[in-house]
């Protein structure tokens, strides 16, 4: 870039300086209509994401580990209940 410029010549401020990462590019001002459009789009996408999450949650099979844990807890609860409801005296 510097080699392309001749002595005493400045680059145009409006002219882009070749490739730049997006976070270094100057921000272009958006009109109110463009902002409203983006807001609508963001809301639509968020709604779709929520619906997708809800749909996947309702149909998702539980993990095997989770089922094993629940079964063990049920067995323990059943055994405790039997002891509690039996008429055997525990001293």
């Amino acid at each position: 870039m510097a080699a392309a410029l001749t002595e005493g010549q400045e680059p145009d401020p409006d002219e882009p300086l070749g490739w730049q990462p997006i976070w270094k590019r100057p921000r272009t001002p958006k009109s109110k209509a463009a902002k409203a459009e983006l807001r609508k789009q963001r809301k639509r996408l968020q709604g779709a994401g929520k619906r997708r999450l809800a749909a996947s949650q309702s149909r998702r099979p539980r993990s095997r580990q989770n089922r094993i844990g629940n079964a063990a807890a049920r067995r323990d609860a059943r055994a405790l209940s039997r002891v509690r409801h039996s008429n055997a005296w525990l001293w």
Side-chain angles (χ1 to χ4, degrees), residues 7-81:
E7 293 299 317
Q9 199 178 20
E10 289 288 315
D12 253 349
D14 297 337
E15 194 176 313
L17 301 172
W19 185 86
Q20 282 185 324
I22 195 152
W23 58 87
K24 290 200 175 176
R25 293 178 202 159
R27 295 182 63 173
T28 53
K30 292 184 178 72
S31 66
K32 284 195 174 191
K35 285 182 188 172
E37 191 65 37
L38 281 173
R39 201 176 305 120
K40 277 199 303 195
Q41 185 183 21
R42 191 179 306 123
K43 191 164 187 154
R44 197 179 70 233
L45 288 172
Q46 283 177 343
K50 285 177 189 169
R51 280 193 303 277
R52 190 178 301 131
L53 179 70
S56 68
Q57 294 267 352
S58 63
R59 282 181 295 166
R60 178 182 305 171
R62 289 201 308 252
S63 69
R64 185 166 179 273
Q65 193 63 42
N66 194 8
R67 286 199 309 270
I68 290 170
N70 285 347
R74 277 198 306 272
R75 269 197 303 275
D76 292 346
R78 207 176 293 136
L80 282 173
S81 174

